[in-house]
Amino acid sequence: MTLRMVCLVLALPLLLLTAGCAKRPALTQVAAPPPTGTAVTAPPAPAPAPAPLAPPVTPAPAPPPVAAAPPAPAPAPPRAAPAEYESAPELAAVFFDFDRSVIRPDAARTLDASADWLKSNPSAVLLIEGHCDERGTNEYNLALGERRAKAAHDYLVNNGVAATRIVTITYGEERPACTERNDACWRQNRRAQFLTKRP
């Protein structure tokens, strides 16, 4: 037997032994599938981000209220054209204290009678003249005469005479009833005098 053969005979069992003890491959661990019949729950989805807040809405301002049409003006009293008026004996003058335009009690009684006459004569239009004595400036007396005529006007209107039937004018100290320079004369000049016309 040759050496070669002997080596071969001896090497053969070694080869068989080596081939029989070959390494097993390593197993990797895999997760087991879930058991059948149970639902698989997915991880919860992240909560949606809240919607951005809308800016506050300011309500539109309310439209302004519609203004009512102004009432129709009362008919204007007739214009004062003194030449068209005449003295009426039924309407006595009323008198005032010095530098005053307040209706005195005696003047109130006279005006009450005048209001009654005017109400019983509805077509008559009245002109009230305001007069003063000569004391005071011209401008002051014109204003005072206007206040006296207005005081008589307001008294008559408050007693039922239509304001549209009354016209006022002031003469101040320009048309005195008496021209003497004493108190008795001045008392006669501090007056409201009445004239009428019929349409």
Side-chain angles (χ1 to χ4, degrees):
M1 216 171 172
T2 65
L3 184 61
R4 215 181 244 190
M5 286 196 80
V6 170
C7 283
L8 205 75
V9 170
L10 288 172
L12 189 59
L14 267 170
L15 273 171
L16 286 177
L17 183 66
T18 317
C21 294
K23 282 188 175 179
R24 291 186 180 178
L27 294 176
T28 56
Q29 193 169 355
V30 177
T36 52
T38 60
V40 178
T41 56
L53 293 176
V57 177
T58 305
V66 177
R79 295 179 62 87
E84 299 174 6
Y85 293 82
E86 58 189 28
S87 178
E90 301 85 2
L91 303 174
V94 293
F95 299 93
F96 296 87
D97 291 331
F98 173 70
D99 199 29
R100 304 293 303 272
S101 58
V102 176
I103 302 294
R104 301 186 318 205
D106 62 318
R109 288 189 294 276
T110 301
L111 288 169
D112 289 338
S114 295
D116 291 340
W117 186 86
L118 287 163
K119 286 188 270 186
S120 65
N121 293 275
S123 63
V125 178
L126 180 68
L127 172 65
I128 305 175
E129 298 176 339
H131 297 274
C132 302
D133 64 35
E134 64 187 41
R135 294 170 291 179
T137 66
N138 213 20
E139 294 78 15
Y140 182 82
N141 285 334
L142 284 171
L144 180 57
E146 180 63 32
R147 289 196 303 274
R148 287 174 175 166
K150 180 82 166 86
H153 167 279
D154 292 347
Y155 190 95
L156 292 171
V157 168
N158 288 334
N159 281 278
V161 180
T164 55
R165 296 175 57 197
I166 305 173
V167 181
T168 61
I169 192 168
T170 180
Y171 289 111
E173 62 188 75
E174 296 171 10
R175 293 191 178 186
C178 178
T179 56
E180 295 177 22
R181 302 192 71 183
N182 58 48
D183 195 53
C185 190
W186 291 331
R187 273 197 301 270
Q188 295 177 51
N189 292 337
R190 298 191 299 262
R191 71 196 188 280
Q193 192 166 329
F194 305 98
L195 296 97
T196 61
K197 75 170 181 176
R198 296 185 188 270

